[in-house]
Amino acid sequence: MRRLRFFALLIAIFAAGIGSAVGEELQIVCLGTSFTNGKGVSRNQAWPAKLEADLRTEGLSVRVINQGVNGDTTINLKSRLTKAVPAGTSIVILEYAIGNERRAGIAMEQTVENVDEIVSQLVSRKIQVLLVIRASDAEGLEHRAKRFRRTVSKFGIATINIEQPASSLLSDRAHPTGEAHKQIAASMVTPVKALIAKVGKEP
């Protein structure tokens, strides 16, 4: 009788452990600039908040953390990487702003190298990466995507191209409107779901 109770207790503990693991939220960090932060709109209108809501609507238990800082460059992103992406993070959505890079006097070649270093650190931590590439039109997107082909190929990361025509921007002509943030989040659902499916499958 004592043995039966002992085994029943073990089974209960094991089952509780499984339930806890299944119920854990998967942590996603959005690392970037004012585009990620949501400058010009409320925090709950920014695409990271919208993405979390969209993924939860899909039945996924996720927590999306907004680590966008206005005016950041890829040098800043590198310097705060460890703090911004804590242990337990499964996915990082990485974004940079070419305008910030130019104002800081950072050449495109250095930007690419900085992104490469950031991705290298994340991948070494077994974190899935989605690199955001932005431009005002398709031609600009293609040009910038070419810059990162080596990084994408070397680390096998995912990318998403986001076109930002003037009609999608606030009056400052630099940051997305609330509606544009909503559309950006919606465009990210499929690639992020693909990365979620890969979490835990990497050796």
Side-chain angles (χ1 to χ4, degrees), residues 50-68:
K50 293 295 185 182
L51 176 61
E52 179 177 284
D54 288 349
L55 291 171
R56 286 181 178 275
T57 298
E58 297 269 339
L60 297 167
S61 180
V62 297
R63 181 185 178 211
V64 180
I65 301 172
N66 188 333
Q67 286 287 0

Side-chain angles (χ1 to χ4, degrees), residues 92-111:
V92 166
I93 302 175
L94 175 63
E95 169 265 323
Y96 77 97
I98 191 65
N100 294 353
E101 302 291 294
R102 287 172 177 165
R103 282 188 289 273
I106 302 172
M108 190 63 192
E109 292 74 14
Q110 185 61 53
T111 295

Side-chain angles (χ1 to χ4, degrees), residues 28 51 55 91 93 130 188-197:
I28 300 171
L51 176 61
L55 291 171
I91 296 170
I93 302 175
L130 177 63
M188 289 188 176
V189 170
T190 296
V192 170
K193 283 175 67 177
L195 292 182
I196 291 173

Side-chain angles (χ1 to χ4, degrees), residues 26-46:
L26 184 142
Q27 186 164 286
I28 300 171
V29 170
C30 303
L31 180 65
T33 68
S34 55
F35 168 82
T36 296
N37 181 274
K39 186 176 181 179
V41 300
S42 64
R43 193 76 164 180
N44 64 359
Q45 283 184 300

